Amino acid sequence: MAETSWWPFHRRPKAPEAPPPEGPDPDQQAAEASGRAVRILLGLAAGVVVAVGMHAIGNILAPSLLALVLTICAQPVRVWLTRHGTPTGIATGAVALTTFALLAAFAGLMIVALAQFVGMLPQYKDQLDQFGSDVATWLQSIGVSQQEVQSVAAGFDPTKLVNFFTGLLGGAFGFVAFGVIVLTMLILMPADAAYTPTLLRQLKPTKPNLVYAMGGFAHSVRRYMVVTTLLGIAQGVINGLALLALGVPAALLWAILAFLCSFIPNVGYFIAIVPPLVFGYLTGGWGTVVAIIVVYGIINAVVQSIVQPKVVGNAVSLSQTLTFFSVLFWAVVLGPIGAILAVPLTLLVRAVLVDSDPRARVWRAAIGDLGETRELMKEESAAAKAQRRELKAGHHPGPTTGEDTR
């Protein structure tokens, strides 16, 4: 009996993944070794010019890159629908509507949380002023200058706190231009993505390495973003429930902040924990502060140090140093969105500069792809242990038999 399916359209088989090309592209000529230092300097100079240019157009580039990452993450849904016989236009529209709904739900949740925070903030005006004075007194006692002390104390002004979070919300979701760019791109990019498989097959005969690099980039970004999103939701929910149980005000806002900061490696944890610590101290004292540190520390250690590396696996393959630097770099170039998209943007740069050139792939190990390196280290460690055992055995005399050997 033929197998039946609940899906009304016909399913097409999934194509197997192709191995990476072994040689250079047909139109790629081997470069001479002469002038290598000049090419390196010119490349660095060009990188600086590109970074400055990206910073100059960050207001339109950041939402465009965000839409690109969202389109890449949603592409498997469209592929799944078309594989089961759904017309391309319907599949693309379904993906776009789903993405719109998710963004709208998140933006609405963020607005509600911020409104609650703004409404309760005047209750803590006196406590915040006193806390700022205590911090200023302590800074003066350790020799910090008066100007810096006044700047730190002014940061606890409730009006400035409201302006900070309002600006953060507006910079990410409130500005009309940002929303228009993201929504428009999320309409156009999925439509153009329908041509991507055919375009890649068209380029493969002449640019097999570029096609391989772009395919690996899309897979890595998709896996990283989907896993980080799911773990970030879990992290935000657990943190929010813990803060709610501890009586920390604006727990929903801090849960959303924890979710957003889960996309910022290394630095996000410290950004997410500071506001709950301040309001936890105001409401519960040092006991609540210690409890928040313990809860956030355990969740961060479990999610980002144990669960996420095992689930993501070798999809990212970036060293810790490079990851931390990428957060700082993209935050300077594109602002908060750059910090959130630091890993995907770095993977894009690696795909273009390293993965697309077979001669440059040798540098993957230096930037974090340590699969072969770990195996080599294990072999070297085993060889060193065996050598130490042999040396230790050679210094001990053999067992005595009691016979006279003279």
Side-chain angles (χ1 to χ4, degrees):
M1 182 182 294
E3 182 181 358
T4 60
S5 174
W6 59 270
W7 192 253
F9 305 105
H10 177 67
R11 174 178 178 144
R12 292 191 289 268
K14 181 179 179 180
E17 295 185 2
E22 296 182 356
D25 294 338
D27 61 345
Q28 186 178 23
Q29 302 295 329
E32 297 293 334
S34 59
R36 181 181 179 185
V38 175
R39 290 197 300 272
I40 292 176
L41 291 176
L42 289 176
L44 293 175
V48 172
V49 173
V50 170
V52 172
M54 294 175 67
H55 178 73
I57 61 172
N59 291 335
I60 60 174
L61 185 60
S64 300
L65 292 173
L66 176 61
L68 173 63
V69 172
L70 293 176
T71 302
I72 292 174
C73 294
Q75 180 71 0
V77 178
R78 191 194 66 81
V79 173
W80 186 87
L81 291 173
T82 55
R83 186 183 299 139
H84 285 78
T86 307
T88 303
I90 297 177
T92 301
V95 171
L97 290 176
T98 302
T99 308
F100 291 165
L102 292 175
L103 287 177
F106 181 80
L109 190 64
M110 189 75 175
I111 292 174
V112 170
L114 183 61
Q116 293 179 351
F117 175 73
V118 173
M120 67 89 184
L121 195 56
Q123 306 174 22
Y124 296 91
K125 183 179 185 306
D126 295 336
Q127 291 175 285
L128 285 171
D129 292 338
Q130 182 61 40
F131 184 74
S133 300
D134 294 341
V135 173
T137 302
W138 176 75
L139 291 175
Q140 285 182 335
S141 66
I142 62 176
V144 179
S145 65
Q146 182 67 26
Q147 183 178 0
E148 294 175 346
V149 168
Q150 292 177 353
S151 177
V152 172
F156 294 96
D157 184 359
T159 304
K160 292 190 175 182
L161 288 175
V162 172
N163 293 336
F164 169 77
F165 284 103
T166 304
L168 181 63
L169 178 64
F173 299 102
F175 290 156
V176 175
F178 190 99
V180 168
I181 293 174
V182 171
L183 295 180
T184 304
M185 286 294 184
L186 286 177
I187 295 174
L188 301 178
M189 286 185 178
D192 291 336
Y195 301 97
T196 301
T198 304
L199 178 61
L200 293 178
R201 288 194 295 269
Q202 182 181 355
L203 289 175
K204 190 171 183 179
T206 56
K207 293 291 184 182
N209 289 283
L210 179 61
V211 172
Y212 167 74
M214 291 297 102
F217 160 73
H219 172 75
S220 299
V221 167
R222 189 178 303 119
R223 188 169 183 178
Y224 170 79
M225 291 297 293
V226 171
V227 171
T228 303
T229 299
L230 296 177
L231 293 178
I233 292 174
Q235 193 171 349
V237 169
I238 297 173
N239 287 339
L241 293 176
L243 294 175
L244 191 63
L246 293 172
V248 178
L252 177 60
L253 181 60
W254 312 138
I256 296 175
L257 182 62
F259 166 74
L260 291 175
C261 291
S262 66
F263 292 92
I264 308 176
N266 305 123
V267 184
Y269 167 78
F270 300 99
I271 298 175
I273 198 175
V274 171
L277 287 180
V278 173
F279 285 91
Y281 175 79
L282 296 180
T283 56
W286 288 109
T288 303
V289 170
V290 173
I292 294 173
I293 294 175
V294 171
V295 171
Y296 271 66
I298 293 176
I299 296 174
N300 180 76
V302 171
V303 171
Q304 296 192 2
S305 301
I306 300 177
V307 178
Q308 188 174 17
K310 289 184 178 297
V311 178
V312 175
N314 203 40
V316 177
S317 297
L318 297 175
S319 66
Q320 294 296 324
T321 303
L322 181 59
T323 302
F324 178 69
F325 177 79
S326 69
V327 172
L328 302 179
F329 175 81
W330 292 112
V332 171
V333 174
L334 297 177
I337 298 298
I340 294 174
L341 300 179
V343 171
L345 295 179
T346 304
L347 292 176
L348 176 61
V349 174
R350 187 186 70 180
V352 173
L353 299 182
V354 177
D355 295 343
S356 62
D357 188 351
R359 297 168 300 177
R361 288 177 196 157
V362 296
W363 295 103
R364 280 183 61 97
I367 61 179
D369 190 359
L370 302 176
E372 296 182 3
T373 305
R374 292 191 183 98
E375 295 298 326
L376 181 60
M377 291 178 64
K378 291 180 181 179
E379 295 176 2
E380 292 176 348
S381 178
K385 290 181 180 179
Q387 185 178 10
R388 288 195 297 269
R389 285 195 298 266
E390 292 177 358
L391 292 175
K392 185 177 180 180
H395 282 85
H396 288 281
T400 57
T401 60
E403 297 180 358
D404 188 1
T405 57
R406 291 178 297 174

